[in-house]
């Protein structure tokens, strides 16, 4: 063995003194079996229950050499702890710490770690005596953490055994949370797949019912080609409207989105239906309350292209029976209204359909909320107040009743939402004008 430096001798003396103060039996320069290795300081417990080699290493040494020396000691049942004053390259390769003096007290200043906030962070300095006491008692052990803070560059660190239990509990809770999250994702995926399969099934059943209704309500052989094409177009339109509203209404229910609230005249329901149809590329216009018009049985109509009625909301059975009502989708806001309509309404005209096509938005309307605002809406003339016979004037002078009052209207070439919804009467002869009309440009 070569001559030892004063620093090496001083560090060995510190190790012997600290080991004895920590309650161990400590001797310097103790050889191993057969002289294969020699410990700078060999610390042992009472009766030789355990032995630990404390190595003071100040000279340059490679990581492979120090690893080999540690393994040779461990083969004989003697673990080792290496100490140095310097930031040596081999620190952390084997169980080791860096020491220093603070106010003439030898302290372990690097190599300690603690567990906090889910990761290992640098531990505070500890006296050499306290460090050895905890090493001898098993309170502090060497450990190579996987998740560590940026300041910890050593591979092998010394940690408290309680921190190891805390880290294990944290990993277990983290794995449990991850397992719960994965299970929840699997359940959500399975529920989504079941919901999609149910939607496909319901869409198929709805399509089958629509096909059956379309066959039952097919045009009669007595009709002309033009009338047959018109009724066919009505059937296709009716099918599209019913399917669009039914599918969207079902998806809103599945997503927990509240259905539209029925207002005093069904405005909210009609607006919702109009928005749904427009989002699906179907042109529709909500023309407001029907004011008791018999064509819509007092319901709220939705007009499509060329002012063609495509749906009527909550019609009254006492006013049913018109061709327009039979060619539209009847949307009811409750099952009670639908049941009453089908039980009390007269059958539709034979040349349009054998039965009405209905769709129910099954939700209960809220109780009416009293309001201070009162709106007076003029009513359409009743059947008893009208004169019999259509207008035959060459230049009719027309009047129509709008929600905001009576207005002068004029004949036009194409039907409008207003002329499809309201009726106009000639001031000269008093007869009902049956052609298309529009509001006077001066009034628009």
């Amino acid at each position: 063995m070569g001559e030892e430096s004063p620093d090496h001798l001083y560090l060995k003396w510190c190790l012997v003194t600290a080991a004895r103060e920590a309650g161990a039996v400590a001797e310097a320069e103790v050889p191993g079996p057969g002289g294969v290795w020699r410990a700078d300081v060999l610390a042992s417990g009472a009766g030789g229950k355990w032995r630990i080699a404390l190595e003071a290493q100040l000279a340059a040494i490679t990581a492979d050499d120090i690893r080999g020396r540690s393994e040779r000691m461990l083969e004989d049942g003697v673990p080792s702890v290496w100490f140095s004053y310097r930031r040596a390259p081999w620190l952390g390769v084997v169980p080791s710490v860096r020491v220093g003096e603070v106010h003439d007290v030898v302290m372990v200043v690097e190599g300690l770690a603690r567990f906090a906030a889910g990761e290992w962070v640098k531990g505070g300095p500890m006296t050499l005596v306290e460090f050895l006491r905890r090493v001898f008692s098993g309170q502090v052990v060497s450990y190579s953490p996987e998740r560590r803070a940026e300041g910890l560059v050593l591979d092998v660190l010394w940690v408290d055994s309680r921190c190891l239990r805390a880290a294990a509990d944290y990993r277990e809770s983290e794995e449990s949370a991850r397992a719960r999250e994965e299970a929840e994702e699997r359940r959500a995926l399975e529920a989504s797949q079941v919901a999609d399969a149910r939607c496909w099934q319901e869409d198929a059943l709805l399509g089958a019912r629509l096909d059956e209704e379309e066959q039952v309500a097919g045009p009669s052989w007595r009709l002309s080609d033009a009338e047959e094409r018109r009724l066919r177009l009505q059937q296709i339109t009716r099918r599209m409207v019913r399917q669009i509203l039914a599918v969207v209404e079902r998806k809103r229910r599945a997503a927990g989105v509240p259905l539209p609230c029925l207002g005093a005249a069904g405005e909210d329901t009609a607006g919702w239906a109009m928005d749904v149809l427009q989002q699906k590329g179907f042109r529709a216009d909500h023309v407001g309350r029907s004011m008791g018009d018999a064509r819509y049985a007092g319901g709220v109509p939705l007009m499509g292209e060329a002012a063609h009625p495509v749906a009527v909301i909550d019609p009254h059975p006492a006013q049913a029976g018109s061709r327009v009502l039979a060619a539209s989708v009847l949307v009811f806001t409750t099952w009670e209204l639908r049941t009453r309509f089908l039980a009390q309404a007269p059958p539709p005209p034979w040349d349009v359909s054998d039965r009405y096509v209905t769709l129910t938005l099954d939700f209960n309307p809220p109780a009416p909320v009293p309001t201070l605002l009162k709106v007076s809406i003029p009513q359409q003339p009743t059947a008893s107040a009208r004169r019999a016979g259509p207008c035959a004037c060459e230049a009719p002078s027309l009047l129509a009743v709008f929600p905001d009052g009576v207005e002068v209207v004029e004949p036009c070439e194409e039907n409008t939402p207003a002329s499809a919804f309201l009726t106009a009467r000639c001031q000269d002869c008093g007869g009902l004008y049956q052609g298309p009309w529009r509001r006077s440009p001066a009034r628009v």
Side-chain angles (χ1 to χ4, degrees), residues 174-231:
E174 196 176 42
E175 292 173 359
S176 300
R178 187 182 303 109
R180 288 194 299 269
E181 183 178 351
E182 292 175 354
E184 185 65 27
E185 290 178 355
R186 286 195 300 271
R187 285 193 293 270
L189 178 60
E190 293 173 358
S192 176
Q193 292 174 346
V194 171
D196 290 343
R198 186 182 297 112
C199 287
W200 280 107
Q201 183 179 8
E202 292 179 356
D203 289 345
L205 292 175
L206 177 60
R209 288 199 302 271
L210 292 174
D211 289 338
E212 181 183 353
E213 292 176 358
E214 187 175 323
Q215 292 177 1
V216 172
S220 171
W221 60 271
R222 306 176 192 176
L223 303 178
S224 64
D225 292 342
E227 289 176 325
E228 185 174 341
R229 286 195 299 271
R230 178 179 58 81
L231 292 179

Side-chain angles (χ1 to χ4, degrees), residues 15-16 83 85 89 95 125 142 153 166 168 180 196 244 264 267 409 414 440:
L15 294 175
V16 171
F83 299 84
Y85 288 130
S142 59
V153 296
R180 288 194 299 269
D196 290 343
I244 289 171
E267 301 291 336
V409 297
E414 295 182 358
S440 176

